[in-house]
């Protein structure tokens, strides 16, 4: 029965890493001293499946390590030991180690054994300490050799005598386990005598042949370890009571006495000495995870686990689609085509297709908790390190999000949380002095809004220091000496690349560590990030992301004789263009008065160099008011056509990225239409204006009102009309 | 001469010294491309214009769900514009570049023939000096007293900055000359 198990490795690693996440979040929920039965059970089960899997695939180091974990958890599960803060700490650390071990095994890397040995020693210490007294009869786990995890099973184990009581539950046979096989396997460990207790056997009339009534007592003598014995019983340990007892006194490194054990733990492995100092230098779990995540993303192909319900819906829909298809085919074969029926069939087809599309997209959707899960740990570790008291509140973790988007949003989230902790929240003393509660709060919230998902990260810390940001920006020449900026514009400065250097951060009271990178990541996903901050009260970062990257709702517009698609999410409203409300500023740039605000008018035919078509002269143009990054502008189009869902096709695949466009799509008639990237269109428009012409510089500041400043971030209002289209075309 | 001949057998996947070329007409001239690169030949359909691109790119087309850019070789070689009609032909070619494989359509006047050309019958393009760019000409072959210009389509696209990926839009815009430095031929 040679089965190639390596093909299951990927699944094992994925499941194990998921299990670790479960364990981690479970551990973080554990309350010291309280009744945590359900949580511990959950952690225990996760640990157990990892151990089982690792055992099956022969990852001995992982098995042994997890076994220790399991023992510790089992004690707490059965109430033999207390859940202490100490224990939780060690367990959390061991999860980091396990994660490292798993990824190292997966990628075939060597793992630094020092970490493993150190944590394993501390786990062992915990195991030994748990034992109330060196009561020989109930010593459940003798310590495995200290170097076992790195070298595998140790060859020269001392001879020992063991008593194993194996009391299977009645349903053992139904699980497909055979005691004979187990006994056969035991024979490999040494010689033994077996005694079967058949007193449980009912009379022949009552006997159920598929039930197991026998209890075996085995006395085994051989050069083996307890872990090896329990491995034999691994598959049945949930379905049987197994007691393994050592009859003779165990040999050297294992010490039954708690005191001695802790001594061995501290001085045995080289790296184990001075665990406290090593610990301080150690990377925090969150950081490790980040490195692991980054590595994992690069090294492995990803797969997705899909709810069976989603698949079933899909199958149902495909079934309906097939029915509709055969119905249509039948219709087409008839001599006289029944238009009415044909129309019905097509309507069905349309519905089927739409539903199918929806369900297929659903497969890619995962709850955002996949991203949020790692944050509590990060907050826990960091707050401890920074000496701050923090409470992290998470809402909306079941909000669903496309997997691709999810993978890319993880790092920016970590970054923002870290920033909030590091720079936003004050130390308890300062907080109390400022009349705030001692414990700082970070709220993490996710919800749907239109076709977007919104993630908010809010803290009640110091907020952004506008004065210092402005001063820094002036110093760096990002803002002119005389420019007046609104508070919002100042806050937006933290996303400027020039602000991301380390120096800037330590100078300004926080915020700015790679915020430009955060922003860029989010923009790459087609999202937007905004910051609202009140000095002394805290800051709130708001990230808006598209639900998926593949499909969007679009408004089809006509510009001259060409058709473009404007993403519906960017459109604020569409209005009739009233020439009376425009005023032409210097050199042709138009400004439109829209709802008490002045917005720039972008003539798409001009930006895209579309020659005028003769027949459109008479028609009334429309103004599509769009918003991107908090900036509004009006796009001048000739007509609004349909609104429809469109599948984004990249232009980069066969051509290249085109400024102003986010891609192309194929319309119902088979032709290609370009999708506007509103952000980039606005950028093109701004760039088409001279950077900062001296005479116009005062203009934006002179107009009062919030919105006006938003619309003219680049300063000058003049435009060189001929440039934007021609320079792209190059000399002819 | 030898160097060119060798390079060109090297690119041929047949391993033989004879390569097959699909030839097409542009005005009065006959041009050839490696037939292994030809994906299909299709009739002209209205292409969707891409804003702010040179006029030798009439736009993009839908090739069974893939959006492919179209290059008008007549205009690319500055042979004067021709009207697109239903008989205008688009040759869809596979282009291999540094960044990967792309699929592109090329508008030509008409498809002509398929020739077997022995590699030793290919002569290097004459050097016209700096005024004419011959980098994307593999060589000249004489078939039945006719001369066929063999194109190196990868270089034609690869050397054209219009097709290079635009990572930073700003750079491209601030330096408009970068879009078309090859316009020297």
């Amino acid at each position: 029965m040679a089965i190639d198990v390596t093909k299951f490795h990927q699944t094992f690693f994925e499941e194990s890493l998921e299990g670790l996440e479960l364990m981690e979040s479970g551990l973080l929920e554990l309350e010291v001293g309280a009744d945590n039965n359900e949580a511990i059970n959950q952690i225990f089960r996760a640990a157990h499946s990892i151990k089982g899997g690792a055992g099956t695939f022969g990852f001995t180091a992982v098995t042994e390590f997890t076994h220790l974990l399991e023992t510790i958890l089992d004690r707490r599960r059965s109430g033999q030991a207390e859940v202490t803060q100490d224990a939780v700490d060690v367990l959390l650390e061991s999860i980091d180690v396990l994660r490292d071990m798993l990824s190292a095994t997966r990628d075939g890397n060597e793992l630094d054994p020092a970490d493993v040995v150190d944590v394993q020693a501390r786990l062992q210490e915990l195991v030994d300490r748990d034992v109330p007294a060196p009561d020989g009869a109930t010593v459940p786990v003798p310590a495995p050799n200290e170097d076992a995890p790195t070298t595998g099973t140790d060859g020269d184990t001392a001879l020992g005598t063991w008593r194993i009581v194996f009391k299977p539950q009645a349903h053992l046979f139904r699980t497909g386990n055979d005691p004979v096989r187990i006994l056969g396997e035991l024979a490999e460990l040494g010689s033994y005598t077996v005694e079967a207790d058949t007193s449980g056997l009912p009379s022949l009339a009552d006997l159920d042949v598929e039930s197991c009534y026998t209890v075996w007592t085995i006395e085994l003598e051989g050069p083996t370890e307890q872990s090896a014995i329990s491995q034999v019983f691994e598959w049945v340990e949930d379905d049987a009571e197994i007691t393994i007892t050592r009859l003779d006194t165990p040999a050297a490194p294992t010490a039954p006495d708690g005191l001695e054990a802790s001594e061995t733990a501290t001085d045995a492995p080289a790296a184990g000495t001075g665990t406290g100092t090593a610990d301080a230098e150690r990377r925090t779990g969150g950081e490790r995870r980040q490195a692991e995540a980054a590595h994992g993303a690069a090294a492995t192909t990803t797969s997705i686990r899909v709810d069976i319900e989603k698949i079933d819906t899909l199958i149902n829909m495909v079934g309906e689609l097939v029915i509709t298809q055969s119905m249509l085919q039948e219709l087409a074969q008839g001599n006289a085509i029944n238009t009415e029926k044909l129309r019905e069939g097509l309507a069905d087809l349309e519905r089927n297709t739409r539903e199918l599309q929806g369900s297929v997209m659903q497969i890619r959707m995962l709850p955002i908790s996949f991203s949020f899960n790692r944050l509590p740990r990060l907050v826990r570790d960091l707050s401890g390190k920074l000496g701050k008291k923090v409470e992290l509140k998470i809402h909306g973790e079941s909000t669903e999000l496309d997997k691709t988007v999810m993978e890319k949003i993880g790092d920016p989230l970590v970054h923002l949380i870290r920033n909030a902790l590091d720079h936003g929240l004050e130390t308890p003393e300062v907080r109390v002095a400022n009349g705030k509660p001692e414990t700082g709060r970070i709220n993490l919230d996710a919800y749907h809004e239109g076709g977007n998902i919104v993630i908010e990260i809010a803290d009640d810390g110091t907020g952004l220091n506008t004065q210092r940001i402005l001063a820094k920006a002036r110093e760096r020449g990002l803002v002119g000496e005389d420019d007046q900026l609104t508070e919002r514009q100042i806050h937006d400065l933290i996303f400027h690349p020039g602000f991301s250097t380390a120096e800037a951060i330590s100078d300004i009271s926080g915020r700015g560590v790679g915020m430009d990178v955060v922003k860029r990541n989010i923009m790459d996903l087609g999202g937007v990030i905004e910051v609202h901050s009140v000095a002394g009260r805290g800051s709130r970062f708001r990230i808006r992301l598209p639900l998926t990257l593949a499909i969007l709702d679009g408004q089809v517009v006509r510009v001259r004789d060409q058709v473009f698609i404007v993403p519906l999410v960017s459109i604020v409203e569409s209005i009739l263009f009233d020439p009376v409300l425009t005023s032409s500023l210097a050199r042709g740039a138009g400004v439109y008065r829209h709802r008490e605000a002045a917005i720039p008018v972008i003539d798409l035919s001009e930006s895209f160099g579309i020659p005028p078509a003769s027949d459109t002269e008479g028609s009334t143009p429309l103004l599509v008011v769009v918003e991107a990054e908090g900036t509004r502008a009006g796009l001048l189009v000739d007509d609004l056509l349909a609104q429809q869902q469109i599948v984004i096709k990249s232009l980069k695949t066969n051509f290249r990225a085109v400024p102003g466009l986010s891609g192309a799509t194929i319309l119902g008639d088979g032709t290609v239409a370009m999708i506007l990237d509103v952000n980039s269109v606005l950028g093109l428009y701004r760039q088409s204006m001279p950077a900062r012409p001296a005479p116009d510089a005062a203009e934006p500041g002179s107009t009062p009102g919030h919105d006006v400043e938003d619309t003219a971030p680049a300063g000058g209002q003049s435009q060189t009309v001929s440039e934007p289209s021609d320079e792209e075309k190059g000399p002819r | 001469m030898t160097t060119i001949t060798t390079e060109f057998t090297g690119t041929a996947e047949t391993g033989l010294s004879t390569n097959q070329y699909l030839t097409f007409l542009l005005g009065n001239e006959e041009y050839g491309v490696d037939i292994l690169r030809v994906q299909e030949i299709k009739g002209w359909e209205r292409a969707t214009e891409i804003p702010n691109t040179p006029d030798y790119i009439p736009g993009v087309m839908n090739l069974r769900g893939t959006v492919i850019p179209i290059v008008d070789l007549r205009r690319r070689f500055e042979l004067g514009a021709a009207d697109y009609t239903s008989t205008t032909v688009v040759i869809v070619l596979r282009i291999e570049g540094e960044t990967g494989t792309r699929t592109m359509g090329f508008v030509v006047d008409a498809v002509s023939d398929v020739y077997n050309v022995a590699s030793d019958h290919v002569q290097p393009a004459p050097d016209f000096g700096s005024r004419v760019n011959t980098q994307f000409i593999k060589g000249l072959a004489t078939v039945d007293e006719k001369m066929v210009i063999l194109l190196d389509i990868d270089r034609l696209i690869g050397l054209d900055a219009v097709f290079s990926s635009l990572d930073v839009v700003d750079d491209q815009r601030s330096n408009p000359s970068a879009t078309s430095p090859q316009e020297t031929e």
Side-chain angles (χ1 to χ4, degrees):
Chain A
M1 269 241 297
I3 301 174
D4 178 19
V5 290
T6 49
K7 65 182 171 189
F8 302 117
H9 281 184
Q10 176 70 21
T11 320
F12 164 69
F13 288 124
E14 267 175 31
E15 284 185 359
S16 300
L17 290 173
E18 269 170 35
L20 285 179
E21 303 226 331
L22 252 171
M23 290 170 72
E24 188 167 50
S25 54
L27 281 170
L28 290 170
E29 276 167 23
L30 284 188
E31 282 170 49
V32 175
D35 174 33
N36 296 305
N37 238 330
E38 192 37 51
I40 296 183
N41 265 327
Q42 196 182 352
I43 305 169
F44 178 82
R45 279 194 296 268
H48 185 65
S49 4
I50 295 176
K51 187 182 105 171
T56 313
F57 295 119
F59 302 135
T60 332
V62 177
T63 320
E64 287 182 22
F65 195 90
T66 335
H67 183 77
L68 278 177
L69 265 181
E70 214 186 56
T71 314
I72 293 171
L73 288 165
D74 194 30
R75 296 259 175 74
R76 277 149 188 83
R77 187 168 72 145
S78 54
Q80 285 176 35
E82 289 284 298
V83 175
T84 56
Q85 191 56 40
D86 208 27
V88 174
D89 283 342
V90 178
L91 287 171
L92 276 175
E93 252 181 79
S94 64
I95 283 171
D96 290 337
V97 170
L98 252 182
R99 192 174 282 129
D100 287 351
M101 284 168 94
L102 284 170
S103 17
T105 318
R106 177 187 60 197
D107 305 336
N109 292 339
E110 281 295 313
L111 188 67
D112 181 14
D115 277 355
V116 182
V117 172
D118 168 27
V119 175
Q120 186 151 14
R122 291 207 279 153
L123 282 178
Q124 188 60 51
E125 191 187 349
L126 203 62
V127 170
D128 296 338
R129 207 169 41 200
D130 283 346
V131 185
D135 172 3
T138 56
V139 175
V141 177
N145 247 325
E146 295 292 351
D147 56 352
T150 45
T151 56
T153 24
D154 206 322
D156 36 78
T157 329
L159 214 69
T161 320
W162 306 81
R163 173 180 292 146
I164 304 149
V165 182
F166 176 39
K167 188 177 174 196
Q169 290 173 22
H171 66 260
L172 179 81
F173 297 147
R174 268 169 244 158
T175 61
N177 286 296
D178 185 355
V180 175
R181 182 193 60 79
I182 294 168
L183 293 175
E185 217 171 296
L186 262 188
E188 289 169 21
L189 298 175
S191 55
Y192 60 82
T193 50
V194 191
E195 210 176 281
D197 177 2
T198 52
S199 57
L201 267 179
S203 66
L204 195 60
D206 300 329
L207 185 82
D208 175 2
V209 286
E210 285 178 9
S211 292
C212 179
Y213 301 101
T214 323
V215 178
W216 287 272
T217 309
I218 304 146
E219 270 187 34
L220 173 77
E221 196 171 321
T224 181
E225 286 180 38
Q226 173 147 7
S227 59
I229 301 173
S230 26
Q231 214 169 341
V232 173
F233 291 99
E234 195 160 35
W235 294 105
V236 293
E237 63 188 19
D238 286 339
D239 307 306
E241 272 174 45
I242 302 155
T243 335
I244 304 170
T245 328
R246 182 150 200 176
L247 294 179
D248 57 343
T249 19
T254 326
D257 183 86
L259 187 77
E260 266 180 69
S262 65
E263 262 174 31
T264 22
T266 32
D267 59 28
T273 46
T275 44
T277 46
D279 208 33
E281 304 283 317
R282 184 91 52 74
R283 293 171 299 160
T284 63
E287 273 169 298
R288 262 180 205 236
R289 175 92 67 93
Q290 243 184 315
E292 192 264 336
H295 184 74
T300 53
T301 52
T302 53
S303 65
I304 198 164
R305 290 164 132 246
V306 184
D307 199 337
I308 193 82
E309 250 175 60
K310 286 183 178 177
I311 302 267
D312 285 345
T313 333
L314 214 59
I315 291 172
N316 273 340
M317 279 173 191
V318 172
E320 275 182 50
L321 197 67
V322 171
I323 293 169
T324 314
Q325 187 254 341
S326 55
M327 182 183 118
L328 283 173
Q329 195 160 22
E330 214 163 279
L331 271 177
Q333 275 165 356
N335 286 335
I337 288 182
N338 185 339
T339 358
E340 186 55 33
K341 280 224 157 161
L342 184 67
R343 208 169 284 138
E344 262 173 42
L346 286 174
D348 277 354
L349 186 66
E350 192 203 328
R351 188 176 47 84
N352 290 153
T353 320
R354 202 177 44 235
E355 282 174 3
L356 193 62
Q357 182 197 335
S359 315
V360 172
M361 295 314 291
Q362 269 298 313
I363 288 189
R364 289 190 61 85
M365 301 297 248
L366 295 173
I368 198 166
S369 53
F370 279 84
S371 278
F372 280 4
N373 273 349
R374 65 164 126 162
L375 300 173
R377 176 75 193 279
L378 179 79
V379 168
R380 186 184 188 275
D381 287 355
L382 265 183
S383 58
K385 210 161 144 193
L386 295 166
K388 292 176 181 176
K389 291 195 173 174
V390 188
E391 185 189 357
L392 177 71
K393 282 207 166 153
I394 297 180
H395 294 283
E397 58 264 66
S398 58
T399 315
E400 290 198 325
L401 185 62
D402 188 282
K403 188 173 195 288
T404 324
V405 181
M406 178 107 59
E407 276 164 2
K408 291 186 180 151
I409 197 62
D411 287 345
L413 275 183
V414 168
H415 214 107
L416 288 170
I417 293 278
R418 192 196 303 259
N419 263 355
L421 260 163
D422 196 5
H423 307 299
L425 294 177
E426 314 91 329
T427 52
E429 302 85 63
V430 177
R431 288 185 67 90
V432 171
N434 289 341
K436 290 183 187 178
E438 196 183 31
T439 306
R441 269 187 311 138
I442 297 180
N443 282 332
L444 192 59
D445 208 349
Y447 54 90
H448 285 291
E449 192 185 84
N452 289 307
I453 183 169
V454 177
I455 304 171
E456 282 188 354
I457 298 143
D459 65 65
D460 65 345
T462 53
L464 298 175
N465 188 332
T466 44
Q467 291 310 311
R468 296 182 75 168
I469 295 174
L470 191 58
K472 195 81 208 169
R474 291 227 160 95
E475 189 186 308
R476 294 180 163 249
L478 300 173
V479 177
E481 282 301 320
D482 307 319
D483 286 358
Q484 293 301 313
L485 299 179
T486 58
E487 195 157 326
R488 193 162 160 199
Q489 282 172 318
I490 297 174
H491 290 163
D492 283 344
L493 282 173
I494 61 168
F495 296 115
H496 199 282
F499 254 76
S500 65
T501 64
E503 179 214 350
I505 285 135
S506 49
D507 275 353
I508 303 166
S509 64
R511 303 298 156 93
V513 201
M515 288 304 268
D516 61 321
V517 181
V518 170
K519 184 176 186 177
R520 205 169 56 230
N521 281 351
I522 289 165
M523 280 176 64
D524 284 349
L525 292 170
V528 180
I529 181 167
E530 291 164 1
V531 55
H532 300 274
S533 174
V534 179
R537 300 264 302 278
S539 328
R540 192 171 86 234
F541 287 87
R542 193 165 186 273
I543 300 170
R544 218 173 51 175
L545 292 167
L547 280 182
T548 169
L549 297 178
I551 291 193
L552 61 83
D553 282 309
Q555 167 73 56
V556 187
V557 300
R558 185 171 59 82
V559 180
R560 302 277 160 83
D561 60 343
Q562 290 189 24
V563 167
F564 290 92
I565 286 153
V566 185
L568 220 49
V569 289
S570 319
I571 299 181
V572 181
E573 61 180 325
S574 301
I575 50 174
L576 271 179
F577 180 76
D578 186 351
V580 179
L581 293 174
T582 43
S583 28
S584 260
L585 294 180
R587 278 181 280 162
V591 171
Y592 194 83
R593 276 167 42 78
H594 171 250
R595 298 194 189 279
E596 307 304 309
I599 57 170
V601 175
I602 301 174
D603 187 347
L604 282 180
S605 59
E606 206 167 73
S607 323
F608 287 157
I610 304 168
S614 49
D615 58 332
T616 52
E617 287 304 312
S619 67
T620 330
L622 297 163
L623 197 65
V624 179
V625 181
V626 292
E627 182 173 329
E629 290 184 57
T631 305
R632 286 192 178 183
L635 304 178
L636 210 53
V637 305
D638 290 312
D639 205 356
L640 294 181
L641 306 172
Q643 277 183 11
Q644 63 185 77
Q645 284 215 319
I646 51 168
V647 180
I648 303 171
K649 305 267 177 184
S650 164
L651 279 174
K652 268 189 238 170
T653 326
N654 289 313
F655 188 49
R656 60 149 210 228
V658 179
L661 303 179
S662 60
T665 191
I666 293 164
L667 297 177
D669 61 356
T671 56
V672 181
M674 299 294 160
I675 305 166
L676 290 188
D677 178 351
V678 171
N679 241 331
S680 160
V681 168
L682 295 185
L684 278 180
Y685 175 75
R686 264 174 239 152
Q687 273 168 10
S688 70
M689 314 233 180
R692 193 176 286 279
D696 298 339
E699 223 167 78
S702 63
T703 334
H706 182 88
D707 286 289
V708 178
E709 274 141 352
D710 274 351
T711 56
Q717 288 279 8
S718 64
Q719 187 190 27
T720 18
V721 177
S722 62
E723 255 174 34
S725 52
D726 276 1
E727 67 183 10
E728 285 294 317
K729 293 198 162 186
R732 307 272 155 84
Chain B
M1 175 176 175
T2 352
T3 49
I4 288 188
T5 323
T6 344
E7 179 197 314
F8 162 76
T9 17
T11 55
E13 286 155 33
T14 54
L16 301 168
S17 57
T18 307
N19 289 321
Q20 281 198 316
Y21 289 89
L22 175 81
T23 63
F24 53 86
L25 299 174
L26 290 178
N28 298 322
E29 298 302 330
E30 195 166 358
Y31 294 80
V33 287
D34 187 347
I35 202 161
L36 296 173
R37 294 304 187 80
V38 181
Q39 284 204 346
E40 65 181 273
I41 297 166
K42 58 181 279 171
W44 165 260
E45 286 161 26
R46 197 187 109 108
T48 303
E49 284 177 44
I50 314 168
N52 303 332
T53 43
D55 64 352
Y56 59 81
I57 301 177
V60 288
M61 252 187 208
N62 168 17
L63 182 77
R64 291 184 299 277
T66 312
V67 176
I68 60 163
I70 307 295
V71 176
D72 185 336
L73 279 183
R74 230 173 199 287
R75 293 198 220 184
R76 178 67 186 81
F77 294 153
E78 298 182 353
L79 299 170
D83 284 341
Y84 299 131
T85 65
S86 56
T87 57
T88 307
V89 173
V90 179
I91 303 178
V92 181
L93 297 176
R94 198 180 75 243
I95 313 290
E96 276 163 19
E98 284 167 17
T99 49
T101 309
R102 307 196 242 204
T103 309
M104 287 189 182
F106 294 85
V107 177
V108 299
D109 290 351
V111 171
S112 169
D113 212 335
V114 176
Y115 296 126
N116 287 314
V117 180
S119 45
D120 52 349
H121 285 182
V122 178
Q123 295 158 25
D127 188 359
F128 294 102
S130 61
R131 283 197 44 81
V132 180
N133 190 344
T134 55
Q135 276 181 298
F136 47 79
I137 297 178
K138 241 184 211 176
L140 304 172
T142 315
V143 182
D144 305 335
E145 308 291 304
K146 277 185 301 184
M147 198 178 68
V148 177
I149 304 164
L150 303 180
L151 292 178
D152 183 341
I153 207 77
D154 292 347
R155 300 194 84 167
L156 176 66
I157 297 304
L159 293 171
D160 195 333
V162 169
F163 297 102
S164 56
S165 55
L166 274 179
D167 285 333
V168 187
V169 179
D170 296 0
D171 288 358
Q172 207 266 336
R173 299 246 353 149
S174 58
N175 184 13
S177 64
T179 36
S180 38
Q182 79 292 344
E183 299 281 341
T184 43
E185 85 258 26

